[in-house]
Amino acid sequence: MSNRRAMLTMTGFHRAVLRLTGGRIGRSLGGMPVIDLTTVGRSSGLPRTTILTVPHREPLPGDGERLIVIASRGGDDAQPAWYLNLVAEPTVQVARVGEHPRPYIARTADPTERARLWPLAVRSYRGYAAYQRKTQREIPVVILEPATD
């Protein structure tokens, strides 16, 4: 089974578990919260939603928090479609299990930010380090910040 097919299968299974249990099971994986990230398809212009884990969060002044996600695709050499979509259109929607989507702005961490955030992500899930060893590409660290009006 290709890495893409395996990822789609796992995502479909995860969605089914969330739906069947009303979110009681699957709202976190390995201690990391799960979110739905909705991007705009760079070719289709249609909404595209994927399930991601959040290995690190940082509180922001006021009421929000910055979410960190990793565009690993299991260490595949190709970037995940959701990542390519948010590079093309950084305005995204983020929803935690059982919550309504909220607008966020996505961006790839710059080298200094990545140097700080990557070890925090690996501390939450050691598999990221294995994924990085598996691929030639530098796996992007993505910062999601609440959109301001």
Side-chain angles (χ1 to χ4, degrees):
M1 183 183 302
S2 74
N3 195 30
R4 180 178 187 278
R5 189 175 309 268
M7 298 299 272
L8 289 173
T9 300
M10 288 188 303
T11 299
F13 178 73
H14 192 172
R15 279 196 193 289
V17 168
L18 283 167
R19 188 176 50 254
L20 291 171
T21 67
R24 289 185 314 277
I25 298 173
R27 71 178 29 213
S28 69
L29 282 174
M32 297 180 287
V34 171
I35 60 168
D36 275 337
L37 175 73
T38 302
T39 60
V40 175
R42 64 197 177 285
S43 298
S44 69
L46 298 173
R48 302 293 185 202
T49 301
T50 191
I51 294 176
L52 298 174
T53 55
V54 179
H56 184 67
R57 298 176 288 180
E58 297 178 335
L60 294 171
D63 189 25
E65 65 181 351
R66 179 180 294 126
L67 306 176
I68 308 304
V69 294
I70 308 299
S72 66
R73 196 174 179 188
D76 196 82
D77 287 330
Q79 299 283 19
W82 64 263
Y83 175 72
L84 298 173
N85 289 344
L86 68 77
V87 168
E89 173 50 65
T91 301
V92 300
Q93 296 285 317
V94 172
R96 294 194 174 113
V97 174
E99 294 182 6
H100 292 290
R102 293 182 180 172
Y104 277 71
I105 305 299
R107 65 183 175 82
T108 304
D110 67 33
T112 301
E113 290 169 319
R114 188 182 192 287
R116 180 179 70 81
L117 295 170
W118 179 257
L120 298 173
V122 170
R123 189 175 306 141
S124 291
Y125 177 62
R126 287 186 302 213
Y128 292 134
Y131 296 160
Q132 184 60 77
R133 288 190 298 272
K134 185 177 167 186
T135 184
Q136 298 280 327
R137 70 182 173 95
E138 180 176 79
I139 294 175
V141 173
V142 177
I143 299 170
L144 303 170
E145 295 181 324
T148 55
D149 296 325

